Each structure stands twice: as structure tokens, then as C-alpha cells.
Amino acid sequence: MNVFERFKKEPTRLSTSNSSKEQVYFQLVEDEYGVYLQTVDRKGRPIEPLFQQHSGADRQVLRLLEQIQDRNSFVIDWEKPADHVYISEYEYLIESLKGVKRFVNAQMQPLQFVEGEGKLKLTLQNAADKENIVESRVAVDLEGQSFAQFVPLTENHLLAEQQIIQVASVGGSFASLHYFNSTLTTEELPIFLSLFFSHVEQIDKIVYESYRFVFSEEVVEAAPSLIFEKIDEDESLLMRVGQVLPELPIEVMQQFELYKYVEINDLEQVITVKSIQQEPLTQHIQEIAEAIKNQTPKRKKKEQLEAVRNGTLFIIPKEIAANFIYNELPELILRYQLFGAEKLKSYKISTVAPSVSMQLSHGIDYFEGDVTLDFDGEVMNLFDVLNQYRKNRYIQLSDGTHAIMNEKYIRRLERLFNKGKDKKAEVSFFDLPLVEELIDEKVTGTNAIFQRPREFYEGLGEKKKYKLPKINAKLRPYQKKGYKWLRYLHEYELGGCLADDMGLGKTLQAIALLAWVYKEGETKSSLIVMPRSLLYNWQREVAKFAPQLSTYIYHGNDRDFEQARQAQLILTTYAIARNDVELLKEVPFSYLVLDESQNIKNVNALTTKAIMLLDSEYRLALSGTPVENNLGELYSLFRFLNPSMFGTFNNYNRRYLTPIQKYGDKDAMRHLRKKIYPFVLRRLKKNVLKDLPDKIEQTLYVDMSAAQEKLYEQRRQFYQTAIKSEIATKGINNSQFFIFQALNELRQIASIPDHVSDGKVESPKREMLQQQLLDSVANGHKALVFTNYLAAVDRISQVVEEAGIDYVSMTGATRNRQQLVDRFQNDPNCRVFIMTLKTGGTGLNLTAADTIFIYDPWWNVAAEQQAIDRAHRIGQQNKVLAYKLITQNTIEEKIMQLQEVKKELFDNIITTDGAATKSLTEDDINFILGGV
């Protein structure tokens, strides 16, 4: 087309309307195929006006409609009406319609476009009058209004109450949104949510009771499966090839197109959304076809037997099926899950779970004896069964039957039973409930050796009456329960971890226990180990709540252990316990208490090894975050509390750590949770402290200045290249220090660029903090400011001082900490407390503050939460506002995303407030250093 053709006027058309001058209305009408646009007169009668007779936006839309109808006249659509222009197919019409004079709905009511972007919200609610029923509703929120009734127009636009609302792209299934307004059972909820997230690309808010939604980068692999449907009249085997997702029925993958998988953890109230990865089904079909072909006997062409395939279904003649089952199936079981294997009886295949029998006697730290499996009368030693399974994937019975065993069942046996001498099995005291679950009966019988462990587990749910000791405090109901739990463990000489949320009074509950211990006449001293910052806090708490207990702070160059032994409670630090281990290990203590017990999370650290050498009759751990980074820390904790619980680290790694962290084994996770459950008491503020004010957290984003952005990008690109080279040359383990330096510099550029650039680049973040602090102080609030860098403490202090605000500051080098805390708590003129995150993370009560600023994020979100909880704890009378300052498009945003990704695993075992990401993988580093 040349320039003249391009700009030629189109030929004039004759209008089919009665009056060419009549006003035109643009009307949206809904039918079964969607919402379409038509032109009508003022009485709602369809007309076909000429665009030449109109001007402005009206003319533009009329011209577009004419062009669309011209094109459609050459297209035959056997489903939709040919003369309807559906908005979903021509989304560009939306923009043009914003300027038309008369835009109406089917009832001729005017429509309008609203400013702002609507936010889609999915709300799930348990039905009040029906058990196990959930009601689901999709709504759109806009500026405080919520619209439960709306009509999807396009992927980006909705019609609600005569308003056109723009939303983020919903995806190609936008027209199906109303189907998610549904009523379903709780059993159907995982499938329902998997469907929702597979077909709705963008959802701004999801609400379901107190559940927390986590969008994980983890991938769930759909496992290939073989479904044995039936044995035909001629004994042919009907077998289907499919795929299955964990914990979902086999038919789900056959019935639905899923891209997302939803995992619901009711115990921790966490819902995790993961991507699904699946190999093409044709690949599995081809593999099975080849396996069947390999077992097809070669005969003359007229006599040739062949399996028939119809889609995913194989019809296999008896002779071929028998060969396939015995020769191919044992190998396929390694990769394929089996369903309906009980239908294979005619092929001498047994899938009946064997019964377990035990004859046990008492060992040193375990029960020991013979464990056998009974296969319908044929009895085999447990370890003979396990050896056969490892070798063949099935168990050969004496009558020629092949027993196919569920792999989860085998893994459970391996977790519960250790192999001793002469094929004897060893069973831990701590696995007794799981053993009973396995054999579906009580293992105690009349055997007296089981009496005490049986009493312990049966008594866990009972409400024993333990009288409280005399202390100067009125324990809250949950604290009384915590005290009774500690007393119960003491009665059975077992260790436990009091893992209450920050600020719920773990120290007070421990002091109450110790007050009872010494009231009962205990003569040996107890050793309480803690971070140095907590020494005097413990001394003050004991003096306040149980002044009858004598204490000695065993710390400093002039420490005297002989003098310390005269006190009932010896307070010391992890560093002193490590340095004086040769002296301390020779003394039998009554209680060994570890406060902030995550200090022994590394089982190979010298401090941890020293603690393990100490001798005590009873052991107790206190920690708001018993697991910070990985489940190896859980092993270290229980190696201290109850050494025989997990045995060697290799055993723990094989049975729990690798299956859970590498393969997402939910059965192993459930066993681990059940095993540790009696020995970890975890309560959250929101569940037990109804009168504590709400904690409101908000992220404030800061834009970089041009100079800061230039500096940051230069250093980011440099380190991105340099680290790749370093890892390629030395490996990631030997590159840790260089990586740390790189990430540390980028974090400083993001928060304190003036420090890195010798004052040449100013910090926009500090300017925002200054304004926020001024507003906070002006409104009568007290504020805490936490940062990771000493340089930031200095610069923030300078800003506060220049503003004329009275403040105090604290770092690791500060000695008069309590004086500063007391001044901030009691002096109404002291409005701001500035400190490093690690300094203020433990042992401080700062309830005078109700506003908190996290100046720069730390890898470990738990450390940030502990800092916030310096103010959000018992004694706080106001709502606590916590602000996190984040520089956009920098490493700080990446840290926040990694915090969410890395915390999921630990939430599945123990509900912690967060988990750290200190141990970064190469993928994490690539993610952090990648461009925006």
C-alpha cells in the first residue's frame, strides 16, 4: 500500500437507523459467551450509526466497530453470534470507550470508569453451621469498597455496580472467575486452591481464617503412576499410565489441567503454593510400551500375542502381563507409583500389608529384641525383609508369591528400627507412639519394662495438679500450663525446649520451676548458660520473682568457681562454658538450662561440644527460635536435651534431614513432628495473650538517588562477574569470604552510601528516617531504631541530634546497657533509642517504645522479629508500629524475598516466627546479584 492508498477516505455508507441525527449510546450486554458492545438509541433499540456523523471519542469507537464488523463478515463462527463484538476479544475498545458521551449497561444505566486499580481478593471461610464446609468468594476491593458481584470484561477489566474497574492481569481464565464462588468440603480445598492458582494469574489478597499463604519457588514433581484397573474375563490385565501429585487422588491429574500445587499444613496453619513440574505423559507411555514389548514372547506371525493400547490404557494378554509383572514391574516401582495392585492376585502378587510382631527387652537407652513381619502366615525377620526389598523391590514368599510393599511403609520401618547384633532390632523410647501407630496396638501388654514410657505418653494429655511454688508473680493461664509441662518432664527426667514466642515470659516460667526444685530440698547448683547480654537480666528477674534463690554471676576475669558453687543458680555465658569446660564438666549440676539455646545450633562448633560434655540431672532449653537455618539444628538441640532420641547424626540425616529437605517427604516430616511434639512447647502471642495490643508491620520503600543508583549498579555488575569467576575457580565453599564482602558492600551502598563513598553520595533512606522520626516524636511516641552497621548508628545519631531530639544509642561495645535502658524506659524526654540489631535482639524490655524502625534488613528474619519484640511484649499498653525501610531495586528487596522462600521448611516442623538465610546457595547468589 502506497501513501495515497493509506490516507484515502473510505466510501460513505448509508445508515440503517431511522434517523441519522439520533444520539448513539454504547451499551454493554452479557450473554452466555461473554460481554459484547453494541450501539443503541435512547430507548435501547439497536442501531447502526455512521461514524462520519459523529465526532471525538464517539466517532473513534464507531469507526473501530465498523472495521471489526467488516472483518467479521468474512469469518464464520458457528458458536457465537456473528454480529456481536465481544469486549474480551477487542480489549483495545476499552481505552476508546473512556471518552464516549453515553456509555450504558443493559438497563440503560450510565457506566463510568473509576480511577485507581482494583485489588482482587479470594476469601475462604468455614461455614458457621456446617462442619468441614468451606465457602469461597472472589471480590474486588477499590479504595475501601468491596464488590462481591462483578462481571469480568477482559483480563484487566471488571464491571461492578456500573463501574469499570481496572485490575492486574487475571489471565486467560478471567471469564471463569465466578466459578470460584463455591461451597466445598475441607477435603476438596487442596484441589480447589490448586485449580484456582493454576488458572488465576494474579490475586492481590487471600484470606482464610488465620492461615498464612506462602508462594514458594519450590517445584513439585508429578510422579508417574501405573493404575491397575481390572483383570478381564480372559484374564487380560487392564493397566493405565498416569501421573499423580502428593496427597491428591490419582484421578485429579487425569481430570484437571494443573500448573500449581497447593499444600495445606493445618497444624501450623500455613498454605504453600508451588509450581508443578511434569514430564510429558507420552514419554511414560512409550517407556511402558517398550517394557511390555520386551516381555512379549516371540512366535509365528499367526500366533503372535500383542498388547493393545488405547490412549493411556494398555490391555495386556495374561501371558505377557505375567512376564511384565515379574520381570519389569520391580524395576518400574522405583519410578512409578502403583494404584490398584490388589487386583493382581491371580498373578500371585500380594499387596496386603504384613503385621508386625515384637519381643523386646530393656537395653541401655532403648528396647531391644526380635521384630518379625507376618505375610499371611509366613513369618520373616524384619531385616531379611528390608534386605530383599532393597535388592528386588518386592518380597519373595515360599509359595512363589511376590509381596509388593508400599515404599512409605518400608521407609517407616527403617526410621523406627535400628539393626543390632544377630539381627536384633533396637527401638528408641521416643519412638514408642510411632511403633504403636505402625502395629495398631499397644506394645506394652503385661510387660513391666514398658510401664514407665507408657505412663509418660498417656499422661501428656492429662491435667495433673502441680502446686505452684511461692514466687512474686501471678502467672497467666498459659504460663501455669508451661510450668506444669516443665514439672511433668522433670518427673520423668526428660529434657524439653520451652519455645514460646518472644515476650511471653519464658524466663519467669523457668524461674518458677527452679523455685520449686530448690523448695524440695535440692542441694546441687544449677548452671544457666546464656548470651552475655542476658546475665544481669537473669539476675534481676530471679531477685524480683524468686528472691529466695541465691545467684552467682560466673563471668569476668575474677570469676571464682568455688564461690559460685555456694549459690543455687550459677549464671554464665556460652563463651565461659566453652573456655572453662574442663573445670565445669567435672561438676554434677541439678539443672543445666540454656537460654537462647540456638547458640548450640551447630553440632560441630566448639561451644556446642563443650555444652554436651557438661553433667546434669535435668536439662532445659529456652528459645523463641529453636530452629533458625536448617533441621540439622534440631538434631543439635535434642542431642543436648535427650541424647538418645535420634542416635548418631548420620542416622538423623538418613531418616529425616535428607528425606524432608531434599525430597519433601511428608511422612518423614509427620514422624519427626510427632517425635518431638511432647518435648517442645510453643505458644504464640496471638493465641494466648488476648490482651496484648496488635503489632502492625509495614514496609517503607525508598528510591535511590541518581548518584546512589550509579554507584550501586557499577558495584553490582563488578561483583556479579567477579563472584562467578571466584566460584568457578575455587568453588562456592572456598569463596564464602569474598561473597560476604561483596554482599556486605552492596548492603551498605543501599543503606549508608555516604559511608562507602566518603560522603560523596547522600542517603535518601536516612532522609526518610529523619522525617518519620520527627513525625513520630511530634505525635508523642517513643521509637526504637535498629541497624546492622556501626556507621549507621553514628549517622542516625547525628541526624537525631541535629533535630534536637533526646536519644540514647547502644552497640556491642556499650557497657552501661541497663542504665541506657532504664533512662529510655523512664525518662519522658528520651524519645529515641538507636542500636545495632544484634545488640538489641535479645534480653531487653523496651515497652516504653511503640514505634520501631528496622533501618536495613538482616538475612535472618527471626532476628528482626526478636528486635521488634523488644517492645511488643508483656507490659506494652499501645499498638506497636514496626516499619522496615527498604531501598528499592537493591539487594535489600532480594533479601526480603529470600526470607520468605527460606522460612517454609522450618514452619513445617516447628512454628518459628521466621528462618534465616545465612547459608546461601549459588542460585541464591545469582538471584541477589541479578539485575532488576
Side-chain angles (χ1 to χ4, degrees):
M1 179 186 296
N2 61 31
V3 65
F4 302 105
E5 292 291 329
R6 170 65 183 83
F7 291 97
K8 268 186 180 179
K9 291 172 62 177
E10 295 187 13
T12 302
R13 299 186 180 208
L14 295 176
S15 172
T16 58
S17 66
N18 294 329
S19 174
S20 60
K21 296 182 180 180
E22 188 168 11
Q23 290 181 334
V24 61
Y25 290 77
F26 297 92
Q27 184 182 54
L28 291 184
V29 184
E30 185 179 11
D31 65 11
E32 59 183 310
Y33 303 106
V35 176
Y36 62 91
L37 178 67
Q38 66 178 4
T39 50
V40 297
D41 62 18
R42 60 188 178 84
K43 293 184 178 182
R45 296 172 298 195
I47 58 174
E48 295 183 13
L50 298 174
F51 75 86
Q52 294 92 340
Q53 296 177 350
H54 296 267
S55 61
D58 287 6
R59 178 188 179 96
Q60 174 67 18
V61 175
L62 288 172
R63 185 171 184 174
L64 289 173
L65 286 173
E66 186 176 296
Q67 291 172 349
I68 292 168
Q69 288 165 345
D70 281 347
R71 286 197 298 271
N72 288 348
S73 63
F74 294 98
V75 179
I76 299 176
D77 191 329
W78 298 106
E79 292 185 359
K80 300 176 183 178
D83 60 338
H84 287 183
V85 178
Y86 290 94
I87 291 292
S88 62
E89 297 175 3
Y90 307 99
E91 188 169 1
Y92 57 82
L93 285 171
I94 292 284
E95 193 62 35
S96 298
L97 284 166
K98 289 181 179 179
V100 300
K101 297 174 182 176
R102 289 164 288 277
F103 186 29
V104 298
N105 62 13
Q107 291 75 40
M108 295 300 289
Q109 296 169 317
L111 300 177
Q112 62 177 341
F113 290 87
V114 295
E115 295 293 328
E117 184 176 86
K119 304 295 182 183
L120 276 177
K121 177 175 70 176
L122 172 67
T123 302
L124 302 163
Q125 190 169 7
N126 292 325
D129 55 343
K130 295 180 182 178
E131 191 176 355
N132 297 326
I133 297 297
V134 177
E135 296 174 346
S136 167
R137 296 292 179 266
V138 181
V140 59
D141 292 346
L142 178 67
E143 296 181 353
Q145 283 186 292
S146 185
F147 302 94
Q149 301 295 326
F150 61 84
V151 177
L153 301 178
T154 70
E155 291 186 24
N156 294 92
H157 295 87
L158 309 173
L159 172 60
E161 296 184 8
Q162 300 165 243
Q163 299 179 88
I164 309 295
I165 302 173
Q166 185 172 349
V167 296
S169 178
V170 178
S173 300
F174 68 93
S176 302
L177 275 175
H178 66 281
Y179 288 108
F180 292 104
N181 291 327
S182 180
T183 299
L184 56 143
T185 66
T186 52
E187 289 77 16
E188 294 171 325
L189 192 54
I191 304 173
F192 174 86
L193 289 174
S194 296
L195 274 171
F196 181 84
F197 291 110
S198 293
H199 294 280
V200 178
E201 293 181 4
Q202 180 75 28
I203 186 77
D204 297 289
K205 188 176 182 180
I206 315 156
V207 179
Y208 178 39
E209 304 294 325
S210 58
Y211 283 75
R212 179 167 57 87
F213 282 78
V214 175
F215 292 85
S216 171
E217 292 185 358
E218 184 182 345
V219 172
V220 172
E221 293 187 11
S225 58
L226 298 177
I227 305 103
F228 301 104
E229 297 198 341
K230 66 177 181 177
I231 306 297
D232 221 339
E233 293 180 358
D234 61 356
E235 296 192 44
S236 293
L237 172 64
L238 274 66
M239 181 182 72
R240 189 176 299 278
V241 181
Q243 291 177 313
V244 64
L245 289 167
E247 310 299 322
L248 293 184
I250 178 64
E251 62 270 14
V252 168
M253 289 292 283
Q254 297 173 357
Q255 296 173 347
F256 304 109
E257 194 74 38
L258 297 180
Y259 310 100
K260 297 290 185 180
Y261 169 75
V262 170
E263 186 175 79
I264 302 178
N265 187 329
D266 291 313
L267 182 63
E268 313 296 348
Q269 295 198 312
V270 175
I271 296 177
T272 306
V273 184
K274 304 177 181 179
S275 296
I276 296 173
Q277 179 177 307
Q278 53 184 315
E279 296 175 346
L281 194 57
T282 53
Q283 181 176 323
H284 302 304
I285 292 172
Q286 183 62 36
E287 180 181 17
I288 299 303
E290 288 294 324
I292 294 171
K293 184 178 179 181
N294 291 340
Q295 300 306 319
T296 302
K298 293 183 179 180
R299 297 180 180 174
K300 294 180 181 179
K301 194 166 186 179
K302 291 182 179 180
E303 302 174 349
Q304 183 68 37
L305 283 174
E306 287 187 349
V308 177
R309 181 172 75 86
N310 182 10
T312 62
L313 179 68
F314 286 88
I315 304 173
I316 314 171
K318 179 181 179 181
E319 185 177 346
I320 301 174
N323 293 339
F324 170 79
I325 289 169
Y326 282 100
N327 299 325
E328 299 286 347
L329 196 57
E331 180 66 26
L332 291 171
I333 289 175
L334 294 170
R335 301 185 304 282
Y336 288 77
Q337 292 189 23
L338 304 187
F339 296 88
E342 66 278 359
K343 299 181 177 70
L344 302 178
K345 288 182 181 178
S346 60
Y347 291 94
K348 285 196 170 184
I349 295 293
S350 172
T351 59
V352 176
S355 60
V356 180
S357 297
M358 296 183 293
Q359 295 293 326
L360 303 177
S361 59
H362 217 306
I364 299 174
D365 291 320
Y366 47 81
F367 304 116
E368 182 180 48
D370 296 315
V371 177
T372 58
L373 274 66
D374 188 331
F375 295 86
D376 286 337
E378 184 165 345
V379 179
M380 300 177 66
N381 180 276
L382 167 67
F383 297 105
D384 289 338
V385 171
L386 295 178
N387 287 336
Q388 271 210 54
Y389 182 84
R390 294 185 191 110
K391 182 179 180 182
N392 302 317
R393 311 304 292 182
Y394 60 82
I395 312 303
Q396 178 74 57
L397 303 180
S398 58
D399 64 355
T401 300
H402 288 60
I404 296 178
M405 296 185 68
N406 183 286
E407 186 172 6
K408 287 185 178 180
Y409 186 81
I410 290 290
R411 298 290 169 253
R412 192 178 305 175
L413 292 173
E414 290 177 331
R415 278 195 295 273
L416 294 177
F417 299 104
N418 286 320
K419 187 176 181 180
K421 294 180 180 179
D422 301 322
K423 295 185 181 179
K424 298 292 184 182
E426 297 174 355
V427 183
S428 168
F429 161 88
F430 302 100
D431 284 323
L432 190 62
L434 295 169
V435 170
E436 288 184 343
E437 182 184 279
L438 178 74
I439 66 174
D440 198 27
E441 64 181 36
K442 300 277 189 263
V443 300
T444 58
T446 58
N447 196 331
I449 67 165
F450 294 109
Q451 191 60 36
R452 188 160 176 78
R454 167 63 27 224
E455 288 175 355
F456 170 75
Y457 283 106
E458 288 184 346
L460 277 170
E462 296 179 2
K463 296 181 179 179
K464 283 201 173 187
K465 293 184 178 179
Y466 291 115
K467 189 175 180 180
L468 288 169
K470 182 180 179 181
I471 56 173
N472 298 333
K474 184 178 179 181
L475 298 185
R476 296 170 184 259
Y478 73 89
Q479 292 173 329
K480 291 178 182 178
K481 182 180 177 181
Y483 167 76
K484 292 176 180 179
W485 176 76
L486 294 173
R487 281 282 306 274
Y488 189 76
L489 292 181
H490 178 98
E491 185 177 323
Y492 286 90
E493 299 180 9
L494 293 167
C497 177
L498 185 56
D500 284 344
D501 206 352
M502 291 295 298
L504 293 187
K506 293 188 291 292
T507 305
L508 175 57
Q509 293 170 73
I511 290 172
L513 174 69
L514 293 168
W516 170 79
V517 167
Y518 287 99
K519 180 188 175 188
E520 293 299 304
E522 176 62 70
T523 57
K524 296 190 294 292
S525 298
S526 290
L527 184 67
I528 306 175
V529 188
M530 65 199 75
R532 182 172 62 86
S533 60
L534 298 184
L535 281 174
Y536 294 97
N537 183 66
W538 258 90
Q539 187 184 48
R540 287 192 303 273
E541 297 283 282
V542 173
K544 178 180 178 182
F545 296 121
Q548 69 272 26
L549 296 177
S550 58
T551 61
Y552 180 91
I553 293 182
Y554 184 66
H555 188 264
N557 295 331
D558 58 347
R559 59 186 181 273
D560 184 335
F561 188 64
E562 288 306 314
Q563 186 179 347
R565 293 184 65 178
Q566 306 307 310
Q568 292 165 317
L569 306 183
I570 303 173
L571 312 179
T572 192
T573 67
Y574 287 97
I576 295 298
R578 181 185 66 236
N579 295 338
D580 290 6
V581 65
E582 293 299 325
L583 173 64
L584 296 176
K585 72 178 184 179
E586 301 300 326
V587 180
F589 295 102
S590 174
Y591 256 93
L592 177 54
V593 181
L594 302 186
D595 197 0
E596 303 292 349
S597 63
Q598 63 270 23
N599 280 273
I600 63 161
K601 63 188 177 185
N602 184 351
V603 72
N604 294 314
L606 292 176
T607 298
T608 305
K609 291 179 178 179
I611 294 295
M612 299 300 178
L613 293 174
L614 302 181
D615 179 22
S616 67
E617 191 172 357
Y618 306 98
R619 296 192 168 196
L620 170 63
L622 308 175
S623 176
T625 53
V627 175
E628 287 186 322
N629 298 313
N630 60 67
L631 296 183
E633 298 168 13
L634 194 65
Y635 173 82
S636 184
L637 175 64
F638 279 95
R639 186 71 174 169
F640 164 73
L641 292 173
N642 299 305
S644 63
M645 177 177 280
F646 292 116
T648 67
F649 184 74
N650 285 339
N651 280 341
Y652 177 78
N653 186 56
R654 185 178 74 253
R655 293 172 177 173
Y656 299 104
L657 196 61
T658 298
I660 292 172
Q661 294 194 165
K662 189 173 183 180
Y663 301 111
D665 189 330
K666 297 189 76 171
D667 200 43
M669 186 182 295
R670 186 180 65 83
H671 276 203
L672 179 58
R673 187 188 300 118
K674 190 166 186 176
K675 192 167 183 173
I676 69 171
Y677 173 76
F679 309 100
V680 179
L681 185 60
R682 172 74 162 162
R683 280 82 59 86
L684 301 177
K685 285 192 287 284
K686 65 178 182 180
N687 296 332
V688 301
L689 202 58
K690 302 302 182 184
D691 55 341
L692 186 70
D694 293 335
K695 174 174 63 176
I696 303 169
E697 299 185 54
Q698 184 178 350
T699 301
L700 301 176
Y701 291 97
V702 185
D703 288 323
M704 285 189 285
S705 65
Q708 184 184 15
E709 186 173 3
K710 181 179 179 181
L711 175 62
Y712 183 89
E713 192 60 16
Q714 286 175 345
R715 300 307 290 167
R716 183 193 67 79
Q717 292 180 9
F718 168 79
Y719 281 124
Q720 188 176 35
T721 303
I723 287 178
K724 283 183 180 179
S725 175
E726 187 84 356
I727 292 175
T729 305
K730 299 180 180 179
I732 190 166
N733 289 334
N734 294 324
S735 305
Q736 291 295 313
F737 184 69
F738 182 76
I739 293 169
F740 172 78
Q741 286 183 310
L743 300 185
N744 195 51
E745 182 178 336
L746 290 178
R747 291 176 63 220
Q748 290 188 55
I749 295 174
S751 62
I752 45 173
D754 44 352
H755 173 68
V756 180
S757 65
D758 294 328
K760 296 176 183 176
V761 179
E762 290 297 320
S763 171
K765 182 186 283 190
R766 197 167 69 251
E767 294 174 11
M768 173 178 276
L769 177 65
Q770 179 180 3
Q771 185 58 51
Q772 293 289 331
L773 283 174
L774 288 171
D775 290 344
S776 176
V777 171
N779 287 293
H781 298 288
K782 283 197 172 192
L784 307 179
V785 181
F786 293 97
T787 179
N788 288 288
Y789 299 105
L790 294 175
V793 172
D794 293 339
R795 282 164 169 74
I796 296 168
S797 297
Q798 183 180 349
V799 166
V800 173
E801 192 168 354
E802 289 174 353
I805 299 172
D806 194 354
Y807 74 101
V808 288
S809 65
M810 184 168 69
T811 68
T814 304
R815 291 289 172 261
N816 59 333
R817 297 186 182 193
Q818 194 57 45
Q819 285 180 276
L820 298 177
V821 170
D822 290 342
R823 178 161 185 259
F824 180 77
Q825 285 285 92
N826 302 317
D827 186 349
N829 295 317
C830 186
R831 312 301 297 175
V832 177
F833 202 147
I834 306 164
M835 70 194 84
T836 55
L837 191 64
K838 288 186 178 180
T839 304
T842 57
L844 300 177
N845 294 321
L846 297 168
T847 51
D850 60 5
T851 307
I852 299 158
F853 297 93
I854 304 294
Y855 190 67
D856 41 74
W858 182 235
W859 303 106
N860 182 358
V861 70
E864 294 179 359
Q865 290 300 321
Q866 283 189 333
I868 292 171
D869 282 340
R870 295 306 98 212
H872 188 248
R873 59 195 298 125
I874 295 171
Q876 178 58 260
Q877 299 299 315
N878 303 306
K879 288 183 180 293
V880 173
L881 304 176
Y883 299 98
K884 185 183 291 187
L885 277 65
I886 298 295
T887 305
Q888 292 193 104
N889 303 326
T890 70
I891 188 173
E892 293 186 343
E893 280 194 303
K894 303 291 182 74
I895 289 174
M896 289 182 66
Q897 294 174 48
L898 280 178
Q899 286 175 343
E900 285 299 317
V901 171
K902 294 290 186 176
K903 71 189 282 190
E904 298 164 30
L905 172 64
F906 317 119
D907 286 343
N908 285 327
I909 302 299
I910 294 177
T911 309
T912 62
D913 280 344
T917 57
K918 290 181 180 177
S919 181
L920 298 175
T921 66
E922 189 169 351
D923 287 342
D924 293 336
I925 294 163
N926 290 335
F927 169 74
I928 290 169
L929 293 176
V932 177

